[in-house]
Amino acid sequence: MQAEGRGPRRVTEATVHSREIVQAARLLEAGELVGLPTETVYGLAADAANPQAVAKIYAAKGRPANHPVIVHLHRDADPLRWAAELPDAARNLIAAFWPGPLTLVLPRRAGVAEACAGGQDTIALRCPDHPVAQAVLALFQGGQGGLAAPSANRFGRISPTTAAHVRAELGAAVALVLDGGPCAVGIESTIVDCTRLQAMDGLPRILRPGGVEAQAIAAVLGCTEQSLLALPDPHLDARLQPQRAGMAPGMAMHATDAAPEAPRVPGALASHYAPATPLRLLQADALDTAWPSAQRIGVLAPRSAPGANPQSRWLAMPADAQAYAQALYAALRELDAAGLKAIWAQTLPADAGWDAVRDRLQRAAADKR
């Protein structure tokens, strides 16, 4: 990091001065909230070891007290300050994917970060891959502190991927928002549970798809993708269960019999990442049939509109899964602010590369079917 006063540090499309990095670290050490850019989404950061500071996160977001938050660490920080143990599987995943969009759920050290745990004996840890986040973490408590940093938006709503999103949604509740430019990944991290290895055939389980694909995790662990899939929730609508390549919607995935209950993790509610405007998922043919007569409808589809309709808005999204993910939340916010009657999103391919994006759209539409 440049010395204070020596000019700006260039980060993606935004300029962050070193004095702002210093200011952010000091505000966080004083128990204040800071909007922090990461490669996934912008986080609402607070000192993870300060219960009063973490309580400000919950109040600002309107987040339920039993919903845990992820603790973000510097690349050189010791996870064992927070976790009671690091199984070999966790160490291998850290070596392969940190810094990066991967969160590990681990046994929590007794008495540590209780305010972040949502009443559980687990802790969720991540090392963000963004130069601004890493610069703040390097200064914060000498590089060994942890920052609780859930997405910087009201609970259950669309996650922010620019500094402007954070300011518009949370305003004066945040002492400072660092503008690190648009997020490169654009959706939240993959969450992997490493707390039940003995009960779950020695392998961790993916609890939320995200920026690291199951295929990459399986390659590191020397297992199949299928063996990493979490048990479906029997109380969850079958349409919201993750769908894999070659599997019909609602088809149950293999998992060990009598597996223990998974820990609660962020983004696992049936309805989440949702705009205020009702969102529906439509197959391409149904979308094309309804489009010519659509009134005040916004559309997300990985292709161009089949024809003109001045009464509605069609956003042509990227046909590539990673590029679609990066653009998704900004597109949802644009349509949500347009005064539309509804948003229609074209259903996405069932192959594994689209898992994370498909998960976000399914949850965004959960209460609007």
Side-chain angles (χ1 to χ4, degrees):
M1 189 181 69
Q2 294 174 317
E4 185 173 2
R6 290 185 59 187
R9 172 186 178 120
R10 193 72 185 169
V11 181
T12 62
E13 298 178 11
T15 298
V16 176
H17 290 263
S18 55
R19 62 178 175 270
E20 293 180 278
I21 301 293
V22 174
Q23 181 186 9
R26 300 304 169 246
L27 285 168
L28 289 162
E29 289 173 345
E32 300 297 333
L33 301 183
V34 169
L36 188 70
T38 80
E39 79 281 20
T40 57
V41 300
Y42 274 70
L44 183 59
D47 182 356
N50 182 337
Q52 291 75 31
V54 175
K56 291 181 181 180
I57 291 177
Y58 282 84
K61 286 178 62 68
R63 189 183 186 93
N66 67 348
H67 207 65
V69 295
I70 296 168
V71 176
H72 293 64
L73 305 178
H74 186 260
R75 60 167 54 88
D76 295 329
D78 183 3
L80 288 172
R81 292 190 63 177
W82 307 87
E85 61 177 301
L86 276 181
D88 288 343
R91 292 181 185 275
N92 291 337
L93 293 175
I94 286 172
F97 300 114
W98 280 15
L102 180 73
T103 294
L104 300 180
V105 180
L106 298 159
R108 182 170 53 85
R109 285 188 63 187
V112 172
E114 293 179 358
C116 300
Q120 302 181 109
D121 60 1
T122 57
I123 187 77
L125 300 178
R126 184 166 100 80
C127 178
D129 187 18
H130 193 291
V132 172
Q134 284 292 321
V136 173
L137 285 161
L139 286 182
F140 177 69
Q141 296 182 354
Q144 290 300 315
L147 293 177
S151 57
N153 56 280
R154 296 290 295 175
F155 182 72
R157 296 304 183 185
I158 306 168
S159 299
T161 53
T162 69
H165 295 163
V166 180
R167 296 189 186 103
E169 186 146 353
L170 297 179
V174 186
L176 174 69
V177 179
L178 296 176
D179 189 347
C183 297
V185 175
I187 57 173
E188 297 77 8
S189 60
T190 303
I191 299 180
V192 175
D193 176 19
C194 296
T195 66
R196 305 174 295 157
L197 301 185
Q198 289 184 340
M200 300 288 280
D201 59 31
L203 291 171
R205 288 297 188 271
I206 296 175
L207 301 184
R208 179 180 73 183
V212 177
E213 294 183 13
Q215 180 181 14
I217 295 171
V220 168
L221 298 178
C223 63
T224 65
E225 292 179 57
Q226 191 73 13
S227 63
L228 298 173
L229 299 178
L231 274 173
D233 182 343
H235 304 293
L236 187 62
D237 188 323
R239 292 169 297 183
L240 294 181
Q241 304 293 358
Q243 297 171 23
R244 308 301 300 184
M247 297 180 68
M251 194 172 174
M253 297 178 297
H254 170 76
T256 304
D257 291 338
E261 182 180 357
R264 294 187 307 277
V265 295
L269 297 178
S271 177
H272 214 75
Y273 316 111
T277 308
L279 187 148
R280 292 179 56 203
L281 303 179
L282 295 176
Q283 297 287 343
D285 55 353
L287 185 56
D288 288 351
T289 299
W291 171 246
S293 59
Q295 299 287 321
R296 293 177 49 231
I297 298 296
V299 173
L300 295 180
R303 57 192 175 95
S304 298
N309 180 346
Q311 306 303 316
S312 293
R313 296 181 62 179
W314 183 296
L315 295 186
M317 299 292 285
D320 170 76
Q322 290 186 352
Y324 191 116
Q326 199 276 337
L328 173 60
Y329 289 150
L332 283 176
R333 284 177 175 271
E334 179 181 340
L335 293 179
D336 201 26
L340 299 167
K341 182 172 62 176
I343 298 171
W344 296 345
Q346 180 178 313
T347 54
L348 298 174
D351 62 271
W354 288 90
D355 277 357
V357 182
R358 194 170 53 250
D359 171 83
R360 301 313 188 267
L361 283 175
Q362 287 171 336
R363 294 181 192 278
D367 289 340
K368 288 88 176 176
R369 295 175 190 270

